[in-house]
Amino acid sequence: MSQRQLTFHIFRYNPEEPDAKPRTQSYVLPEEPGMTLFIALNKIREEQDPTLKFDFVCRAGICGSCGMLINGKPTLACKTLTKDLPDRISLMPLPVFQLLGDLSVDTGTWFRHVSLRTEAWVHTEKRFDPMAEEERMSNDTALAIYEAERCIECGCCIGGCATANIKPGFIGAAGVNRVARFMVDPRDERSDQQYFDVVGSEDGIFGCIGLMACDDNCPIGIPLQGQLAYVRRKMAVAGWKR
Amino acid sequence: MQLQRALTPGNKTDFLVEAAQTVSGLLLVGFLWTHMLFVASILLGIQAFDALAHFMERFRLLDLAVIFIILTVATHVGAVLRRIPGRWQEQKIVWKHAAIIRHPDTWSWLFQAVTGSAMLLLIIIHVFVVVYVGIDATLSADRVHSWMLGFYIVLLFLAEYHASVGLYRTLVKWGFVKRHSLKRVLTVITVCTIGLGLLSLWAFYSLGG
Ligand code: SF4
Ligand code: SF4
Ligand code: FES
């Protein structure tokens, strides 16, 4: 098989340069066997353009720092093989998040705000006794919590969400999933009404219009449709009783 | 916490508006499908159609239906308006977003807003015509021999599309179903209802002007 020449159309913009306008720059690179976008982007930076900005840390789909729009689809660049893509590849940064430059965005600040707003920690009156035996939990509950905890905060579900694109206060599927995680956790003593205060609004679950871009795009495969529906039903009951 | 938030503690209006949107939407889907079945009675002949129409007029069911449709459509429009991006900047963002991420369900949401707005106008005309002229097979036959034929075909497609996509989205949001099998089922229903509507129109048309 002959080697393909890949053409990358990469979004370039530096918000620090006040006069700069967003533009697209093209780079051509010969494809190699087993090439991921992590390899491709690093080659471009090393061999063609040292000014290109993008983020990778773990290059193994764990840290969630390499989310970007790959031919429009929000997904992880390190997990994407070039052999699954056409010859022409367009790369853009994730929308919604603060743009740091080119393909690099700041997802951390956004997620920290959402964690604070949804109070994403176990609320309990119980005192922690380090000597006591650990409390037991059913295996199903533990698995349900684990399922939600797998979120790596890559932001793909947020960037792909039309609602999040126009409503700065919307917590998105990752935010709702985070709340769902505490809802199933028996150690969290919050009542449904307390959860309603946190997510029972247009900024929370009732802002979601059900486009399911989040569910279609989550690279970790978290069942976001199910998580959103679970929280929606619970909050509908809580809202009804209010 | 900010002052304005502290003064207006989390209440349940967002939930109630969402509920109003969902319930009115479901009622409208039910209404539309019943409506299509009733109109299809023309396929059984003029007598069947007129008998049904007279029955509805005698027991004032027609008036009831008109009142029902005005109230439910008003509720639905009132509730969904909040979903339509109001600012020009937001409009540009969502269209651009849909074009960039190439996600079919996101496109269908934009079409939902477009077909909904177009339908509102057409429904108002449709209800006016029915209220002022009444229901009668020969009158309908006359009507489909004018420019109104196009009107009905467009309304049929808009309504069936809007109803199916809306129903799909509701069921997906509340999570009682698997998305992909649901899509298939709804596509079949949509094709059937559009087919039935077209057949009914053809039946009226063949009655002659
Ligand atoms: S389903 Fe809700 S959260 Fe997910 S992309 Fe759509 S609007 Fe956003
Ligand atoms: S839910 Fe999925 S897409 Fe969203 S941030 Fe977590 S891992 Fe990424
Ligand atoms: S580099 Fe860590 S997820 Fe891609």
Side-chain angles (χ1 to χ4, degrees), chain A residues 183 192 195-196 199 205-206 231-239:
Chain A
M183 280 179 175
D192 283 352
Y195 282 121
F196 191 88
V199 283
I205 187 63
F206 297 123
V231 172
R232 174 179 289 269
R233 292 196 298 261
K234 234 175 145 63
M235 289 303 98
V237 174

Side-chain angles (χ1 to χ4, degrees), chain A residues 61-162:
Chain A
I62 299 166
C63 71
S65 54
C66 65
M68 58 181 76
L69 300 179
I70 302 172
N71 283 340
K73 186 180 167 66
T75 193
L76 298 178
C78 71
K79 267 183 75 175
T80 304
L81 290 163
T82 53
K83 75 171 171 48
D84 298 328
L85 297 170
D87 298 349
R88 301 164 66 85
I89 299 166
S90 104
L91 299 178
M92 293 175 104
L94 282 180
V96 180
F97 303 103
Q98 167 95 34
L99 183 57
L100 300 177
D102 304 337
L103 300 175
S104 170
V105 293
D106 172 11
T107 49
T109 308
W110 191 95
F111 274 96
R112 178 160 170 76
H113 278 304
V114 167
S115 287
L116 289 176
R117 275 176 47 214
T118 54
E119 304 188 11
W121 55 86
V122 171
H123 290 50
T124 180
E125 296 293 326
K126 282 202 197 110
R127 256 179 188 243
F128 178 64
D129 176 2
M131 305 313 285
E133 200 181 318
E134 241 181 293
E135 266 180 58
R136 282 176 183 278
M137 179 189 285
S138 87
N139 201 36
D140 289 343
T141 311
L143 286 175
I145 295 175
Y146 178 67
E147 185 77 344
E149 287 261 285
R150 284 167 48 229
C151 171
I152 58 170
E153 302 195 346
C154 62
C156 290
C157 60
I158 308 300
C161 173

Side-chain angles (χ1 to χ4, degrees), chain B residues 162-173:
Chain B
H162 191 89
S164 298
V165 174
L167 185 61
Y168 163 76
R169 186 127 26 250
T170 305
L171 294 176
V172 160
K173 263 158 71 172

Side-chain angles (χ1 to χ4, degrees), chain B residues 59-123:
Chain B
F59 293 97
R60 319 225 72 189
L61 289 177
L62 185 58
D63 301 340
L64 268 182
V66 169
I67 295 170
F68 168 85
I69 202 77
I70 292 174
L71 289 179
T72 0
V73 167
T75 312
H76 198 64
V77 171
V80 296
L81 267 184
R82 76 193 196 291
R83 290 282 182 246
I84 299 180
R87 289 167 49 212
W88 178 237
Q89 164 89 354
E90 293 174 344
Q91 280 287 343
K92 282 203 296 192
I93 292 178
V94 286
W95 288 95
K96 187 122 201 125
H97 173 75
I100 289 176
I101 74 161
R102 300 181 206 167
H103 178 250
D105 280 21
T106 300
W107 274 118
S108 76
W109 170 63
L110 289 173
F111 291 150
Q112 202 59 355
V114 173
T115 53
S117 320
M119 256 167 81
L120 180 61
L121 190 69
L122 300 192
I123 288 178

Side-chain angles (χ1 to χ4, degrees), chain A residues 69 71-72 159-160 162 165 196 201-202 206 208-213 215-216 225 229 232-233 236 239-240 242, chain B residues 10-12 14-15 18 82-83 85 90 93 97 100-103 105 109 169 172-177 179:
Chain A
L69 300 179
N71 283 340
N165 270 264
F196 191 88
S201 71
E202 280 283 299
F206 297 123
C208 161
I209 48 180
L211 304 180
M212 294 301 143
D215 190 70
D216 287 332
Q225 186 209 344
R232 174 179 289 269
R233 292 196 298 261
W240 189 255
R242 214 167 164 89
Chain B
N11 54 34
K12 57 187 206 175
D14 286 348
F15 161 64
E18 175 82 8
R82 76 193 196 291
R83 290 282 182 246
E90 293 174 344
I93 292 178
H97 173 75
I100 289 176
I101 74 161
R102 300 181 206 167
H103 178 250
D105 280 21
W109 170 63
R169 186 127 26 250
V172 160
K173 263 158 71 172
W174 292 90
F176 300 110
V177 276
R179 283 175 62 200

